[in-house]
Amino acid sequence: MGQVHVLNHPMIQHKLSYIRDKNTGTKEFRALVQEVSMLMVYEITRDLPLMETEVETPVAVAKTKVIAGKTLAIVPVLRAGLGMVEGILNLIPAAKVGHIGLYRDPETLKPVEYYCKLPPNVADREVIVVDPMLATGGSAAAALTAVKERGAREPKLMCLVGVPEGIRTVQQEHPDVDIYVAAIDDHLNDHGYIVPGLGDAGDRLFGTK
Ligand code: PRP
Ligand code: URA
């Protein structure tokens, strides 16, 4: 069974508080989401495999280590996942970026896929699906299905805020997937919003409300 990791680093928790604040404007909200995303990926990638190499310093040859294997692929779920990409690329500039377009049908709250484009060789890459919100879990589960159908093996899921309902859905549909969140909130309201959450992540990132 995949594990649920709550990333409790004080910097992540501190910034998340400002992200949640309804008085935080679009510009600051955007910047904070990027910063937290970078910090979360820093934590998530601490177990990446390394391989030995040698570099010539100005003084001598040093036996050192570099990350083994193909570069990471991050896959934001459109739209709100886009708000996390730049922060992650600040940390891992060579990461490839795929995109999955999903929207929640406002009546059924079920995800509908409208776009999917992934980097080549996803089977050989560490794939991290990113979306700020894990609410019913429908979008995340559908995104994970989409990347797996295209070859991703053991993708990870990274969200800022989740709720137990959404975590359960992902675990039921994708028992192999590790889930990383900065917080697990209390519940979903009747409109499918996380309580207390941070509101509509896409609208707050893009100023569309
Ligand atoms: C939000 C969010 C997730 C989804 C989570 O996107 O970014 O993708 O809802 O909800 P779920 O867990 O119940 O599926 P939304 O559908 O509002 O689209 P947007 O990113 O375009 O704003
Ligand atoms: N999507 C959001 O943007 N916010 C929520 O609270 C739930 C789903």
Side-chain angles (χ1 to χ4, degrees), residues 54-69:
E54 288 186 350
V55 293
E56 216 175 320
T57 77
V59 180
V61 172
K63 287 192 185 304
T64 59
K65 293 183 174 124
V66 292
I67 290 167

Side-chain angles (χ1 to χ4, degrees), residues 104 133 135 188 192-194 197-202:
R104 286 201 300 180
M133 311 307 283
L188 290 178
Y193 277 88
I194 294 176
L198 51 81
D200 188 306

Side-chain angles (χ1 to χ4, degrees), residues 11-140:
M11 292 306 299
I12 294 174
Q13 296 303 317
H14 176 84
K15 288 173 191 289
L16 181 61
S17 299
Y18 290 93
I19 289 173
R20 289 184 186 277
D21 188 338
K22 68 176 184 184
N23 295 315
T24 298
T26 302
K27 184 173 176 228
E28 201 187 345
F29 184 89
R30 237 180 241 151
L32 286 163
V33 168
Q34 301 288 10
E35 288 166 20
V36 168
S37 303
M38 182 182 78
L39 294 169
M40 289 181 77
V41 163
Y42 178 76
E43 293 277 41
I44 292 173
T45 51
R46 66 168 61 243
D47 294 328
L48 279 185
L50 291 169
M51 63 182 191
E52 306 270 342
T53 188
E54 288 186 350
V55 293
E56 216 175 320
T57 77
V59 180
V61 172
K63 287 192 185 304
T64 59
K65 293 183 174 124
V66 292
I67 290 167
K70 287 207 188 322
T71 51
L72 198 84
I74 51 171
V75 183
V77 178
L78 306 180
R79 237 175 359 152
L82 284 179
M84 303 167 80
V85 172
E86 209 179 295
I88 298 169
L89 292 178
N90 281 341
L91 183 70
I92 312 172
K96 308 289 181 197
V97 183
H99 294 90
I100 295 183
L102 295 172
Y103 65 88
R104 286 201 300 180
D105 183 294
E107 298 297 322
T108 65
L109 300 181
K110 297 267 181 254
V112 181
E113 182 179 319
Y114 61 86
Y115 186 76
C116 184
K117 176 85 178 167
L118 301 182
N121 311 325
V122 276
D124 303 331
R125 298 180 191 280
E126 172 103 17
V127 175
I128 307 178
V129 172
V130 301
D131 191 326
M133 311 307 283
L134 179 56
T136 65
S139 305

